[in-house]
Amino acid sequence: MAQARAQFAASARHRRLLVLSLHDLGNALRRQGRLTEALAAHEEALEISRTWHGKGIKDVHVVDSLVNLARDLRPAGRLQEARTRGHEALTLARTFPPLRFGHHDRLLTTLHELGLTLREIGDHHEALELAEEALTIARRPGQPDSSRRRSHLARAVRDLQALRSPTSP
């Protein structure tokens, strides 16, 4: 039984590392402009995460895979798919306990990325709601004062300014 537990733990670690590697690969491919390959890497990461954890399971790797996929669908011109994946990620990210490690960073990134997609689609009303939510979360008392938090605050303020400016499309 101990050997079976050890093998299971090793398998879980390997799958986690594989998913993280696929995220890194997909992000690197996107930066090189190789969107088709980036999308394939993120799809594979999502499939592994869902297979391992089960569809709909509260797993950070599923959320990260969905956010990365949505981020790469935008420049590929697949905006409705990006919107669907972004909403799916946001729904799941909102279910995490508030004190879970990385929860606020993940939620704020998900709100930002979905907001960018909605702006590109032309749904400024929902994009504005998401930017306001991000700002509220980033300002929430009790959060550690870190460079990441300040970065999220600045990004939320920039998103709000872009959405509220008279030149916003």
Side-chain angles (χ1 to χ4, degrees):
M1 187 62 138
Q3 184 179 9
R5 278 193 205 120
Q7 287 176 336
F8 180 79
S11 177
R13 256 190 323 277
H14 290 133
R15 285 182 188 248
R16 180 181 170 277
L17 291 173
L18 176 57
V19 167
L20 293 173
S21 296
L22 286 165
H23 288 300
D24 289 343
L25 175 62
N27 291 334
L29 290 166
R30 180 188 71 249
R31 285 189 294 273
Q32 294 175 2
R34 297 163 59 185
L35 285 177
T36 302
E37 294 165 281
L39 288 167
H42 293 309
E43 285 280 5
E44 187 175 353
L46 179 60
E47 181 61 29
I48 292 167
S49 294
R50 283 194 167 151
T51 300
W52 185 248
H53 298 286
K55 190 168 185 168
I57 295 296
K58 297 178 186 178
D59 178 71
V60 297
H61 300 300
V62 174
V63 173
D64 292 345
S65 296
L66 288 165
V67 169
N68 284 332
L69 192 55
R71 181 185 296 146
D72 289 353
L73 285 165
R74 268 197 324 267
R78 296 163 58 184
L79 297 176
Q80 292 305 322
E81 287 177 76
R83 176 187 220 158
T84 299
R85 297 297 188 166
H87 276 292
E88 190 178 351
L90 183 57
T91 299
L92 188 54
R94 284 181 170 152
T95 66
F96 291 140
L99 298 177
R100 186 172 180 165
F101 177 75
H103 167 71
H104 290 290
D105 284 343
R106 188 165 281 105
L107 180 57
L108 291 167
T109 297
T110 304
L111 288 164
H112 172 72
E113 290 297 332
L114 178 56
L116 291 176
T117 299
L118 293 168
R119 279 172 46 193
E120 197 164 329
I121 289 171
D123 188 346
H124 297 280
H125 178 74
E126 187 179 356
L128 183 60
E129 287 176 356
L130 295 179
E132 288 171 345
E133 181 181 353
L135 187 60
T136 300
I137 291 168
R139 285 181 169 163
R140 194 172 284 159
Q143 298 299 313
D145 187 28
S146 67
S147 60
R148 288 186 76 122
R149 180 174 184 220
R150 288 187 296 275
S151 173
H152 286 301
L153 275 168
R155 187 166 62 183
V157 168
R158 279 194 312 272
D159 288 349
L160 282 170
Q161 288 172 338
L163 287 161
R164 290 180 177 161
S165 76
T167 58
S168 186

